[in-house]
Amino acid sequence: MGKYFGTDGVRGVANVELDAMLAFKIGAAAAYVLTQERQQGGKAKLLIGKDTRISSDMLENALIAGICSVGADVEPLGVIPTPAIAYLTIKHKADAGIVISASHNSYEYNGIKIFAGSGYKLSDELEARIETLIDDIESVPKASHAAIGCVLKSKIDPVVEYTDHLAETIDGDLSGLRVAVDCANGASSTTITRLMRLMECKADYRFYEPDGININDGCGSTHLENLQARVRRGEFDLGVAFDGDADRCLIVDEKGEVLDGDRIMAVCAARMKQQGKLRGGAFVATVLSNMGLHAYAKKKGMRIECANVGDRYVLEMMLNKGYILGGEQSGHVIFLEYASTGDGQLTAVQFMHILKQSGRKCSEIAAEVVPWPQVMINVQVPNAEKKTIAERPEVAASIQQAQANLGEGRILVRASGTEALVRVMVEGIDADKVAAAAENVAEAIRKIVQ
């Protein structure tokens, strides 16, 4: 991670850590670097999309000003899911796509992430060049006269083009399925209704009326309680929940039980293997993936490669190893055959297609994947301390003692790539020992930072 770019772009409290001036500098620096990368010369063109946060308009306008100031053109696409920007960047051969979103975070946060023309996130080398220029913005040549960039009138209908693409990833439709949908008051509220109509799926929508401050507020993939209760009360085959920018999806079965990204991936991987589509007989998970997933994969004759946490690291391993499926427990799942990044609505479509074809209940097709008991505790730790906190003698001793008490299982302490948090993850056979170990390690960290 660099000074500004974390594992998922630049992120912070809007107008405090991420203000309009920083957004201007990011726009100018990124556009200048990308213009230099153009082999055919001429003006670079960037697409911009955003989620529903109150600060997204402010940051969008600042980014546009920065981009145009160095002579690049920009095409704003409005509120649209993150993966839609990645897809449309490729389809329309833009030099880059920018998304203004803080994903699953609450409304006061916002972020800026950039996709290259390939639809993949920028390389570490390009991010480093942009960061250097952000801190030396006066060295970036300003355009003048006819060279100033323009805000282009969009010829793209992002909702139609993106949802048509998602619908074309399966054969047939999803008619007969009844699904409860939670849009997190986020970007999926612009696309999901048309997608479900295309799929001929009977859907009931909640949390699809964003007001700028209600994104992820007690809803979405990080707050599944409402969706679970709704599925249990209603006549639904399943429930699906997205996060604020709809690049992740979690599923609730007809009994109201949660299927996390591990279990969703397992179901999809098994079907792909059955169809001869699982390249290399393997898929990519992360070091946080549940040991129950590994047991299931072994039983089904599949292999799992584990990447560091973060969808960019999952994707990097997929590309290096030639695999086409990968993801995280959080619900970021990458179907490389159809998308260059995690896509919550694509994940929902793929899973629901498997469900319909199976003729079984959602709980039944996921039943073979038996998760080990796992506890995750987030501890607030200042960004300056979070990377080294596990090395402190008090914490290291606590981890060693907790591991001894845990027996069969594992303890992982890692810094969040996007927030001032340290995540303590404990997994094992005995649920009570798992909970105790996690709390003991978390408490050791709290004592240091109090």
Side-chain angles (χ1 to χ4, degrees), residues 372-377 398-412 424-442:
W372 284 24
Q374 186 184 85
V375 171
M376 176 88 75
I377 298 178
S398 174
I399 293 171
Q400 185 176 17
Q401 183 60 54
Q403 184 67 65
N405 295 337
L406 181 64
E408 188 174 2
R410 60 179 180 144
I411 299 171
L412 186 63
V424 178
M425 191 278 284
V426 181
E427 190 173 78
I429 297 295
D430 187 309
D432 291 337
K433 289 182 178 180
V434 166
E439 182 53 43
N440 288 340
V441 174

Side-chain angles (χ1 to χ4, degrees), residues 23-24 27 48 59-69 72 74 76 150-151:
F24 175 90
I48 289 188
L59 296 174
E60 178 185 42
N61 282 287
L63 276 164
I64 289 173
I67 291 166
C68 292
S69 75
V74 60
C150 298
V151 179

Side-chain angles (χ1 to χ4, degrees), residues 8 206 325 327:
D8 200 23
R206 294 287 188 276
L325 178 67

Side-chain angles (χ1 to χ4, degrees), residues 110-133:
N110 217 326
I112 297 170
K113 40 191 162 186
I114 307 174
F115 293 100
S118 61
Y120 301 129
K121 291 178 182 177
L122 294 182
S123 67
D124 292 341
E125 187 269 334
L126 280 179
E127 285 187 351
R129 285 170 60 188
I130 292 169
E131 286 196 340
T132 298
L133 291 177

